[in-house]
Amino acid sequence: MISRLLKFLNDSPVSFLAVKNIAAELQNAGFVSFDPSKPLGGVKPGDKFYVTKNDSSIYAFQIGSQPLADAGFRMICAHCDSPTFRIKPHAEMLCEGGIVKLNTEVYGGPIMSTWFDRPLTLAGRVILRGEDEFSPITKLLHVKRPLLQISNLAIHFNRQVNDGVKLSKQKDMLPILGVINSHLENGNLLLGLICEELGKEAPIDASDILDFDLYLADATPSCTFGIHDEFLSSGRLDDLSMCHAGLEAMINSKNKEVTKVLAIFDNEETGSHTKQGAGSPFLASILKRIAMAQSGSEEAFHQAVERAFMVSADNAHAWHPNYGERYDPTNHPVLGGGPVIKFNAAQKYASDAVSAAVFSEICRKAGVPCQRFVNHSDVEGGSTLGNILTSSIPVRGVDMGNAILAMHSCRETGSVADQFYCVKAFTHFYG
């Protein structure tokens, strides 16, 4: 399973590619694509289908034999976006010596210093001219080689660098792309690269490129490390590791009685308030259509929501051996200690005593250890998609995730054991 996770991480540098890869796994497991602009028609026990939104979020459904009004939905939700840097339009900036750097803007909340002095690449989607203005063609792009780098200023020019440096998002975080070799390359390096990469399938003319959503990504492959290979090292563990755990459970759980839902959202790192984010009514709309197709009554949907349970799966903070004072003295999860239930008195998480009790029992019956996380009271923590989703679907739910170190770093650290634990817990939840 860990080899599958590492491959998924390497092949999914941005949300568009994560969704493509999740869809491929679902198709291999017998799920069929559904176009939400078409009528859903009738649904019957055993039906398996998925829908996508914006090419960057995906929602899978397996219809159970029990009526939704009686059994509700069993939902696992996660997000496939991670903090990074977006390439701006008109991105090329020509510098002395013919060096070209790219203009970027920050996406989400990355630890910016971790992006320095490492090989980076580009990934995302490119929009090409179609048959008419409302039917452009989307092509996914993943340059699978080291392509760019954000280089540090030498310590000789900044002797205080190890005392802490305030970084400028506009000045300091611009990656070097290359050196122009001819006048024709001036202003055309990026478009030329796009045409070269996409043209491996069929020739692409630069005049057909209308726009793009491109992002920086770490070019170093994911791996395990530690004396027993007990740790995971990768970018985007938050939250692709939870996406993959949910996918493994969805495909491998054998229960055919309950209706299972796997919802992978985009834009959690920027607030979730997009058509493909957890703040959108899109998932609620699909669930309502399923309930009405099964029963012919909207009332069945509202009954199903009251009987449903949601696991909002987003990674938690592991105790750091160098910074123990930053953590709550009695609620600090450790790497390898099992899934983590997250609590917050300001309601930044969906967990309460009831939903935490449900999930801890799921873990116990799955033979999996379970931990709790609460912020140090002097530290304001982050939030996740659980509460945002429940504002449109008032469902019982718990916020949980595997504990990781260096959350929002270009490269995060997790536990191999925790990934196994999480898949077991999710599989039992679906089953």
Side-chain angles (χ1 to χ4, degrees), residues 4 72 89 178 184 189 260 347 388 413 418:
R4 294 194 297 274
L184 292 176
L189 275 187
K260 297 176 282 189
Q347 303 302 302
I388 294 172
T413 296
D418 283 340

Side-chain angles (χ1 to χ4, degrees), residues 6-311:
L6 295 178
K7 184 179 187 306
F8 175 66
L9 291 165
N10 292 334
D11 292 344
S12 306
V14 291
S15 55
F16 307 110
L17 287 156
V19 166
K20 174 191 174 185
N21 294 326
I22 291 170
E25 291 296 323
L26 290 170
Q27 288 172 1
N28 289 337
F31 287 74
V32 297
S33 176
F34 167 63
D35 181 352
S37 70
K38 305 285 180 61
L40 179 59
V43 295
K44 60 184 184 299
D47 283 353
K48 299 192 292 185
F49 60 95
Y50 69 91
V51 298
T52 63
K53 191 73 171 175
N54 189 52
D55 302 320
S56 63
S57 64
I58 186 166
Y59 314 84
F61 309 89
Q62 182 169 337
I63 308 302
S65 60
Q66 294 182 358
L68 284 170
D70 297 332
F73 302 100
R74 294 198 189 176
M75 304 164 56
I76 294 176
C77 304
H79 67 90
C80 57
D81 63 318
S82 299
T84 180
F85 297 84
R86 187 179 189 272
I87 307 302
K88 291 182 178 180
H90 310 295
E92 293 185 36
M93 305 172 72
L94 181 60
C95 309
E96 288 192 38
I99 292 176
V100 174
K101 61 184 180 181
L102 295 184
N103 196 4
T104 65
E105 61 177 331
V106 173
Y107 177 88
I111 303 176
M112 295 195 297
S113 62
T114 63
W115 287 77
F116 283 99
D117 303 321
R118 64 170 66 240
L120 304 173
T121 190
L122 286 177
R125 66 178 176 182
V126 178
I127 310 302
L128 304 178
R129 182 172 287 106
E131 292 183 359
D132 60 63
E133 60 268 40
F134 293 105
S135 304
I137 299 168
T138 298
K139 295 286 188 181
L140 300 186
L141 177 71
H142 182 191
V143 182
K144 296 184 178 180
R145 63 180 176 92
L147 182 67
L148 311 103
Q149 185 164 295
I150 304 172
S151 292
N152 253 307
L153 182 66
I155 193 172
H156 310 77
F157 298 114
N158 184 5
R159 293 293 182 179
Q160 288 75 46
V161 65
N162 291 323
D163 298 327
V165 175
K166 182 174 176 58
L167 297 172
S168 164
K169 297 174 183 177
Q170 183 61 68
K171 175 181 174 61
D172 297 312
M173 308 311 298
L174 306 184
I176 296 170
L177 175 63
V179 176
I180 59 171
N181 292 321
S182 69
H183 175 73
L184 292 176
E185 287 186 333
N186 189 8
N188 295 306
L189 275 187
L190 181 57
L191 288 182
L193 170 74
I194 293 172
C195 290
E196 178 185 347
E197 289 291 321
L198 297 183
K200 293 175 181 177
E201 298 178 3
I204 298 292
D205 192 277
S207 63
D208 289 328
I209 299 174
L210 301 179
D211 216 324
F212 53 73
D213 292 313
L214 295 179
Y215 299 85
L216 298 184
D218 185 12
T220 306
S222 306
C223 66
T224 57
F225 72 99
I227 194 68
H228 306 295
D229 277 325
E230 62 266 56
F231 302 119
L232 294 165
S233 175
S234 175
R236 308 173 304 283
L237 283 176
D238 174 30
D239 192 35
L240 290 186
S241 62
M242 295 294 93
C243 296
H244 194 259
L247 178 64
E248 291 266 330
M250 183 68 149
I251 290 173
N252 295 319
S253 60
K254 304 304 182 185
N255 190 337
K256 296 182 180 181
E257 296 181 356
V258 299
T259 294
K260 297 176 282 189
V261 181
L262 176 66
I264 308 298
F265 297 99
D266 192 12
N267 303 134
E268 189 276 341
E269 300 293 355
T270 56
S272 295
H273 296 295
T274 61
K275 62 186 179 298
Q276 59 272 4
S280 165
F282 182 73
L283 176 59
S285 172
I286 297 293
L287 294 177
K288 183 181 291 186
R289 291 169 69 177
I290 291 172
M292 293 185 68
Q294 184 188 71
S295 68
S297 166
E298 186 176 330
E299 180 66 23
F301 167 70
H302 298 293
Q303 289 180 268
V305 167
E306 294 303 312
R307 289 177 168 85
F309 193 88
M310 173 199 66
V311 176

Side-chain angles (χ1 to χ4, degrees), residues 390-403:
T390 55
S391 65
S392 61
I393 309 174
V395 63
R396 283 190 305 164
V398 64
D399 267 306
M400 56 72 62
N402 281 345

